[in-house]
Amino acid sequence: MQFLQKLGIEKNNCGACTGSKWHMSEAGEVLEIISPVDSKQIASVRVVTKKEYETVIRTAVKVSLDWQKVPAPKRGEIVRQIGLRLRDNKENLGRLVSYEMGKSLQEGLGEVQEMIDICDFAVGQSRMLYGLTMHSERENHRMYEQYHPRGVVGIITAFNFPVAVWAWNAMIAAVCGNVCIWKPAPQVPLSAIATQKILGKVLEENDLPEGIFSLLAGDGPVIGESLVNDSRIPLISFTGSVPVGRRVAEATARRLAKSILELSGNNAIILTEHADLQIALPAVVFGAVGTAGQRCTTTRRLIIHDAVYDKVKSALIGAYQCLRIGNPLDEKNHVGPLISVDAVTAFRQALEAVQAQGGRILYGGENLSGPGYESGCYVVPALVEAENDFPIVQVETFGPILYLIRYRGNVSNAIAIQNDVKQGLSSAIFTTNMRQAEKFLSNAGSDCGIANVNIGTSGAEIGGAFGGEKDTGGGRESGSDAWKAYMRRQTVTINYGTEMPLAQGIKFDLNI
């Protein structure tokens, strides 16, 4: 495929890079990358061993102090150039993301666009690393706060967004003065390798040293565990499952390091009796089936007022019957494959569980086979009538299952249902009633990190801080003031007078 050649993806690829220099070890295992689109092998990757790991970490630590000395706007200039290179490679990188991960081509291209957008955002942020000034209670004193780089940031990303989540972290962390080490998901290392080669050219052209942006492609037990337990890395950003996220949090807490955790979502849309269904239903369908239900912001629960329940159910069945499922590189298709046969198994098990617990499948749920579906990773998105307290509804199934849940009474009942799960990432309400909308946004409303009115749960903009509460982890990435997580805060007090007033009015006279 031409896009592989243009991105520098070879038949056999190295998994360790310190910027523009690649480090190959004959001892590393070979990871065969198979596309869920057609079960064809794309390429292979020689995974990292402890030897390459040490080379990458030591290089990053060594250069971190030099990178911190570069003025922030000049760091921003490097990020600006990376954004330009991503623009040049958008089509090819978007196709690779789509083919390697299985998301639609539109989504693959959109993910690269998110990388470009966060580069633009980070360039502006490089001139806005602001601290506050405050009045001192002591005469002839000045107080302010400032922010310094943490040093080395480890970024562990998930398969569903092979490149964008790295960029959310790395571009902001870089303008803040940190060097970044990226461990991509083992299912999708080629997208990361291609990205590394794109930015590596920028580093070379600017005669920058190795270690500012590094890559470690390998499995979790070897590389991931090493990163989260490495005392040389003061901040770990992790995107993935709750069980692994807990281990990351425990490991970093033991060594008193920091972590940014973006874990699971069990996102709900509330449709009140005042919902404008013309705009609500497209948002529901996209939120539920986009990326084949493999987004952390996927709509998994639809909480529908009794007055419109039957109408909504009928409309959704009709919409699902019109979905085109197939090769995601064909822009006519709406839904591509799941990431693997194991993911299909989890999808099927969830449907069996919800039926055993009293739910009813309204539409979909089948595995697709035959021409075009040879990989065994294609399924028909499912609509299921369920209750919120079913055990299977309480957990996140990473696939296209939408649970329809009926509610009666006022909007407070719907909000209570929405909040009654352990996850707290994204939430939405569709209503034309101002009081219902404001209730949803109040302290008595949604308990999620993202709350939308008349917009679906997926498709967050980079300008806002992204993240959630409860089992979602509590971290924030991307826009707003999320940049502060990549820096250490320092409060400064300056005495420009000739006296030394002590705290709490203590007198401590010395004859000097």
Side-chain angles (χ1 to χ4, degrees), residues 62-88:
K62 182 179 179 181
V63 79
S64 64
L65 292 176
D66 293 329
W67 182 240
Q68 291 177 23
K69 295 175 185 176
V70 176
K74 291 186 178 180
R75 299 193 295 254
E77 168 59 19
I78 301 303
V79 170
R80 186 189 70 83
Q81 292 179 36
I82 291 172
L84 292 176
R85 282 301 176 93
L86 289 171
R87 282 180 171 86
D88 294 339

Side-chain angles (χ1 to χ4, degrees), residues 63 115 141 153 202 248 304 340 440:
V63 79
M115 301 174 76
H141 282 62
V153 175
V202 174
V248 171
I304 313 165
S340 65
F440 177 77

Side-chain angles (χ1 to χ4, degrees), residues 309-419:
Y309 184 89
D310 291 335
K311 183 177 182 179
V312 169
K313 179 172 72 172
S314 177
L316 285 175
I317 292 173
Y320 270 51
Q321 289 171 340
C322 296
L323 290 174
R324 291 189 293 271
I325 306 166
N327 189 318
L329 293 173
D330 183 346
E331 295 188 57
K332 294 179 182 178
N333 291 326
H334 301 116
V335 183
L338 293 174
I339 187 65
S340 65
V341 173
D342 287 344
V344 173
T345 300
F347 171 81
R348 293 294 314 155
Q349 290 174 342
L351 292 175
E352 292 169 4
V354 74
Q355 290 178 93
Q357 292 163 21
R360 184 166 72 98
I361 297 177
L362 300 173
Y363 181 83
E366 301 88 0
N367 293 20
L368 293 174
S369 58
Y373 304 122
E374 291 88 354
S375 70
C377 296
Y378 292 87
V379 300
V380 179
L383 292 169
V384 182
E385 285 188 312
E387 297 294 334
N388 198 67
D389 60 359
F390 289 175
I392 191 63
V393 177
Q394 288 285 311
V395 299
E396 179 189 46
T397 299
F398 226 50
I401 301 174
L402 180 62
Y403 298 114
L404 276 58
I405 302 167
R406 188 192 302 259
Y407 85 94
R408 297 175 176 84
N410 62 39
V411 74
S412 294
N413 297 335
I415 293 170
I417 293 171
Q418 181 212 271
N419 291 347

Side-chain angles (χ1 to χ4, degrees), residues 135-400:
H135 290 279
S136 172
E137 64 187 31
R138 293 169 286 194
E139 293 181 2
N140 300 322
H141 282 62
R142 180 165 68 90
M143 291 181 65
Y144 67 94
E145 64 181 20
Q146 60 184 352
Y147 291 84
H148 295 300
R150 291 192 181 275
V152 183
V153 175
I155 304 169
I156 303 173
T157 56
F159 76 86
N160 58 331
F161 279 84
V163 290
V165 172
W166 166 80
W168 290 359
N169 284 272
M171 297 302 102
I172 301 296
V175 299
C176 288
N178 301 288
V179 301
C180 302
I181 300 172
W182 182 11
K183 183 207 169 294
Q187 302 96 324
V188 289
L190 298 177
S191 296
I193 290 171
T195 300
Q196 186 73 32
K197 289 189 175 185
I198 290 169
L199 66 86
K201 293 178 181 178
V202 174
L203 300 176
E204 283 185 322
E205 290 168 356
N206 286 274
D207 197 27
L208 290 170
E210 295 292 305
I212 297 171
F213 293 102
S214 300
L215 178 69
L216 290 169
D219 58 13
V222 175
I223 304 305
E225 294 288 345
S226 297
L227 281 172
V228 300
N229 287 290
D230 198 319
S231 61
R232 294 167 292 185
I233 304 176
L235 174 64
I236 294 289
S237 174
F238 172 80
T239 302
S241 69
V242 172
V244 179
R246 291 189 191 280
R247 295 208 301 271
V248 171
E250 291 167 0
T252 52
R254 275 195 301 271
R255 58 186 182 87
L256 299 181
K258 305 297 182 182
S259 61
I260 299 171
L261 302 177
E262 297 293 350
L263 310 178
S264 69
N266 196 347
N267 316 295
I269 291 178
I270 295 172
L271 298 182
T272 79
E273 70 274 30
H274 299 293
D276 181 345
L277 298 182
Q278 287 295 113
I279 66 169
L281 292 177
V284 170
V285 175
F286 172 72
V289 307
T291 324
Q294 298 170 116
R295 289 180 178 228
C296 52
T297 54
T298 289
T299 306
R300 308 204 179 278
R301 297 175 296 140
L302 187 62
I303 304 167
I304 313 165
H305 193 277
D306 183 61
V308 295
Y309 184 89
D310 291 335
K311 183 177 182 179
V312 169
K313 179 172 72 172
S314 177
L316 285 175
I317 292 173
Y320 270 51
Q321 289 171 340
C322 296
L323 290 174
R324 291 189 293 271
I325 306 166
N327 189 318
L329 293 173
D330 183 346
E331 295 188 57
K332 294 179 182 178
N333 291 326
H334 301 116
V335 183
L338 293 174
I339 187 65
S340 65
V341 173
D342 287 344
V344 173
T345 300
F347 171 81
R348 293 294 314 155
Q349 290 174 342
L351 292 175
E352 292 169 4
V354 74
Q355 290 178 93
Q357 292 163 21
R360 184 166 72 98
I361 297 177
L362 300 173
Y363 181 83
E366 301 88 0
N367 293 20
L368 293 174
S369 58
Y373 304 122
E374 291 88 354
S375 70
C377 296
Y378 292 87
V379 300
V380 179
L383 292 169
V384 182
E385 285 188 312
E387 297 294 334
N388 198 67
D389 60 359
F390 289 175
I392 191 63
V393 177
Q394 288 285 311
V395 299
E396 179 189 46
T397 299
F398 226 50

